[in-house]
């Protein structure tokens, strides 16, 4: 067989010498790896992993907290999209970033590593809300030397980390320790049990140079479900809040949870832990359109939670809940089929999303509240339409 040399001879190389020659040289360029791009906290993952690999755990932790002050929390509750983005996943399996983050977070708590604040700049910032957004903001501002006052309406800080995420996924000891490390920073003060009702007034009265609004999405959405007497209809946020406060809501033996997101999975698993024998999720879409992350759903199903796909709630009466089969349309809407089934549910838990209470912004007309009850901010600076007023976290849509 005759062999052909397939190498293209470029005009340039043909003139300079015999055969193909390359005149371009490789140049090393530092790009961020996919794990880093996928991290919602913007962590320098490859940076801290390399310290951890060398056994320099405090350096690794310090590199990690340059971006994210709560690694023990993140190492437990973050959905770790970093691992889905990891290149290694297409070779064998992703690097266990989530587990190493948790290990470093716990190592810091065990060894009492603390945060430093920079010398005071003389600037004073009000932060409304002590959830993860407000607390992270307080930390980063203190590291730059700004004086920070955090105010929260709840009796204790933490936002949805404290009042939403169930303790079996996020133990409160580590959470409280990581919060305490932030609030112990020089220049940071925290006041709980104080709801900011009028932001303009609070800013002027406190003489603040800037404000960060981090009020979250604390109000549960509701569906208009007709209910009979004596039946319990609760929303998932209130249920999880009650449980986080050590109350023991009575849901009965059979519980229906309406929704298909991560919060529905948490509510269903919590109902089981409260003693329900049968927990059924009622979800209006099919499996391919489930909103919960596959891992969250798999854990719920492994614990015995059942799900009815393509079902909507029709009525909640004395005998239980009537659900109706629906078909899904291409535009995401559903069409009722008229076929109904009765589930002998004692309680129904609504897990159909949350929205923000932004009434505190009413006195600041330059701030735009969008149709979905989120605050409009500049995508880069997170500043609202009012100079010096910034917003972040769930109240801007996450
Ligand atoms: C059940 C549940 C489970 C979740 N699980 C996970 C998970 O596993 N992993 C994950 O990454 N995310 C999870 N999330 C989402 C995550 O908790 C939120 O995205 C996050 O808490 C939002 O942080 P935030 O600081 O914006 O708001 P929040 O955490 O909601 O905090 C807002 C704070 O502002 C305070 N506040 C509100 N209004 C005022 C006011 N006017 N004056 C003073 N204070 C005020 C509130 O009391 C609250 O403490 C879950 C959410 C829920 C509901």
């Amino acid at each position: 067989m005759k062999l052909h040399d397939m190498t293209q001879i470029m005009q340039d190389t043909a003139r300079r010498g015999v055969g193909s020659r390359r005149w371009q040289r490789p140049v090393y360029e530092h790009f961020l790896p996919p794990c880093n791009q996928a991290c919602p906290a913007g962590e320098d993952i490859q940076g801290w992993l390399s310290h951890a690999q060398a056994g320099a755990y405090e350096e690794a932790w310090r590199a990690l907290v340059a971006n994210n002050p709560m690694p023990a929390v993140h190492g437990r509750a973050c959905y770790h999209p970093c691992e889905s983005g990891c290149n290694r996943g297409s070779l064998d399996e992703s690097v266990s970033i989530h587990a190493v983050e948790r290990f470093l977070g716990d190592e810091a708590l065990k060894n009492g590593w603390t945060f430093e604040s920079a010398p005071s700049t003389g600037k004073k910032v009000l932060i409304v809300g002590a959830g993860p957004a407000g607390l992270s903001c307080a930390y980063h501002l203190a590291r730059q030397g700004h004086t920070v006052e955090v105010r929260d309406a709840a009796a204790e800080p933490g936002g949805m980390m404290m009042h939403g995420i169930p303790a079996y996924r996020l133990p409160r000891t580590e959470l409280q320790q990581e919060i305490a490390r932030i609030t112990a920073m020089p220049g940071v003060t925290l006041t709980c049990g104080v709801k900011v009702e009028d932001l303009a007034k609070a800013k002027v009265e406190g003489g603040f140079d800037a404000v960060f609004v981090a009020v979250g999405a604390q109000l549960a959405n509701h569906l208009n479900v007709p209910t009979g007497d004596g039946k319990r209809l609760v929303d998932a946020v209130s249920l999880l809040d009650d449980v986080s406060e050590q109350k023991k809501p009575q849901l009965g033996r059979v519980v229906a949870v309406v929704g298909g997101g991560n919060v529905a999975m948490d509510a269903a698993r919590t109902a089981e832990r409260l003693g329900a024998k049968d927990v059924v999720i009622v979800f209006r879409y099919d499996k391919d359109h489930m909103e919960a992350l596959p891992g969250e759903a798999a854990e719920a199903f492994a614990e015995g939670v059942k799900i009815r796909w393509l079902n909507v709630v029709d009525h909640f009466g004395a005998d239980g809940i009537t659900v109706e089969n629906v078909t899904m349309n291409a535009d995401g809407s559903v069409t009722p089929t008229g076929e109904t089934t009765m589930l002998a549910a004692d309680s129904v838990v609504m897990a159909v999303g949350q929205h923000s209470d932004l009434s505190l912004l009413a006195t600041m007309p330059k701030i735009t509240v969008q149709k979905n009850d989120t605050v409009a901010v500049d995508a880069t600076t997170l500043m609202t339409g009012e100079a010096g007023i910034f917003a972040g976290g769930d109240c801007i849509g996450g």
Side-chain angles (χ1 to χ4, degrees):
M1 191 171 67
K2 198 174 172 194
L3 293 174
H4 294 281
D5 182 356
M6 304 290 282
T7 316
Q8 285 184 9
I9 299 177
M10 290 168 61
Q11 287 304 315
D12 270 4
T13 54
R15 262 187 268 118
R16 283 168 210 251
V18 179
S20 67
R21 284 202 203 165
R22 195 174 272 265
W23 300 99
Q24 290 166 316
R25 294 212 177 101
V27 176
Y28 183 83
E29 279 198 49
H30 185 87
F31 287 114
L32 294 177
C35 56
N36 197 312
Q37 298 281 5
C39 175
E43 291 174 16
D44 176 15
I45 295 169
Q46 81 283 8
W48 59 256
L49 273 178
S50 66
H51 288 304
Q53 194 176 26
Y57 298 140
E58 185 168 354
E59 270 171 285
W61 178 77
R62 296 221 173 263
L64 197 170
V65 299
N67 294 110
N68 173 11
M70 308 187 84
V73 167
H74 254 225
R76 290 176 165 83
C78 180
Y79 299 125
H80 46 283
C82 52
E83 290 189 20
S84 312
C86 178
N87 279 336
R88 190 83 216 170
S90 48
L91 289 173
D92 39 34
E93 59 182 306
S94 307
V95 175
S96 298
I97 302 165
H98 189 56
V100 181
E101 181 169 38
R102 172 175 167 170
F103 165 76
L104 292 174
D106 288 355
E107 213 38 34
L109 296 176
K110 205 167 70 191
N111 291 295
W113 298 334
T114 54
F115 295 140
E116 311 267 303
S117 299
S120 175
T121 58
K123 300 276 185 199
K124 201 173 142 189
V125 181
L126 170 65
I127 296 179
V128 187
L135 290 166
S136 302
C137 182
Y139 161 79
H140 285 289
L141 290 174
R143 299 243 302 185
Q144 292 180 26
H146 305 306
T147 301
V148 182
E149 189 180 326
V150 188
R151 292 185 195 163
D152 199 292
E156 52 185 338
M160 283 300 186
M161 299 184 294
M162 190 67 78
H163 301 280
I165 305 179
Y168 62 82
R169 289 206 293 116
L170 181 57
R172 298 312 189 235
T173 309
E174 285 79 1
L175 172 61
Q176 281 162 339
Q177 286 177 321
E178 288 210 321
I179 294 174
R181 190 172 51 209
I182 296 172
T183 56
M185 291 174 79
V188 176
T189 51
L190 167 71
T191 316
C192 283
V194 180
K195 184 171 183 193
V196 177
E197 311 266 4
D198 179 339
L199 192 62
K201 193 168 161 220
K203 181 173 185 275
V204 173
E205 282 179 356
F208 294 103
D209 297 288
V211 177
F212 183 66
V213 180
V215 293
Q218 301 260 312
L219 303 178
N221 294 342
H222 288 274
L223 290 180
N224 192 12
V225 177
T227 47
D229 292 341
K231 290 287 170 177
R232 195 138 189 245
L233 182 73
V234 286
D235 67 76
V237 173
S238 309
L239 172 73
L240 294 166
D241 187 19
D242 281 353
V243 173
S244 76
E245 290 181 3
Q246 313 296 326
K247 294 178 192 159
K248 292 211 165 22
Q250 300 296 313
L251 295 177
R253 286 176 61 84
V254 183
V255 178
V257 177
V258 182
N262 293 325
V263 176
M265 300 300 155
D266 280 342
R269 295 174 72 187
T270 300
E272 286 205 323
R273 283 164 175 76
L274 288 168
K277 294 284 168 262
D278 210 359
V279 180
V280 184
I281 293 179
V282 178
F283 184 47
R284 63 185 174 149
Y285 295 143
D286 60 17
K287 195 174 181 181
D288 291 343
H289 295 84
M290 185 176 62
E291 288 141 6
L293 290 170
E296 298 290 309
E299 284 183 19
F301 299 150
E303 288 181 5
V305 171
K306 301 184 189 82
I307 189 160
R308 292 184 69 95
W309 307 107
L310 291 166
N311 268 211
V312 295
V313 184
D314 184 66
H315 178 77
F316 185 32
D319 298 332
I321 181 173
T322 311
V323 293
E324 182 171 4
N325 292 351
V326 294
T327 53
M328 254 189 91
N329 306 315
D331 64 355
S333 62
V334 293
T335 306
T337 61
E339 297 159 28
T340 58
T341 311
M342 166 70 77
L343 305 175
D346 299 301
S347 328
V348 172
V349 182
M350 289 285 170
V352 289
Q354 293 100 240
H355 61 281
S356 305
D357 174 2
L358 299 171
S359 53
L360 77 164
L361 305 179
T363 49
M364 295 200 144
K366 287 188 190 161
I367 299 181
T368 306
V369 173
Q370 298 166 128
K371 273 193 188 144
N372 56 354
D373 281 332
T374 55
V375 184
V377 290
D378 177 271
T380 314
T381 63
L382 298 189
M383 193 161 84
T384 65
E386 182 80 39
I389 311 286
F390 300 79
D394 277 4
C395 73
I396 64 161

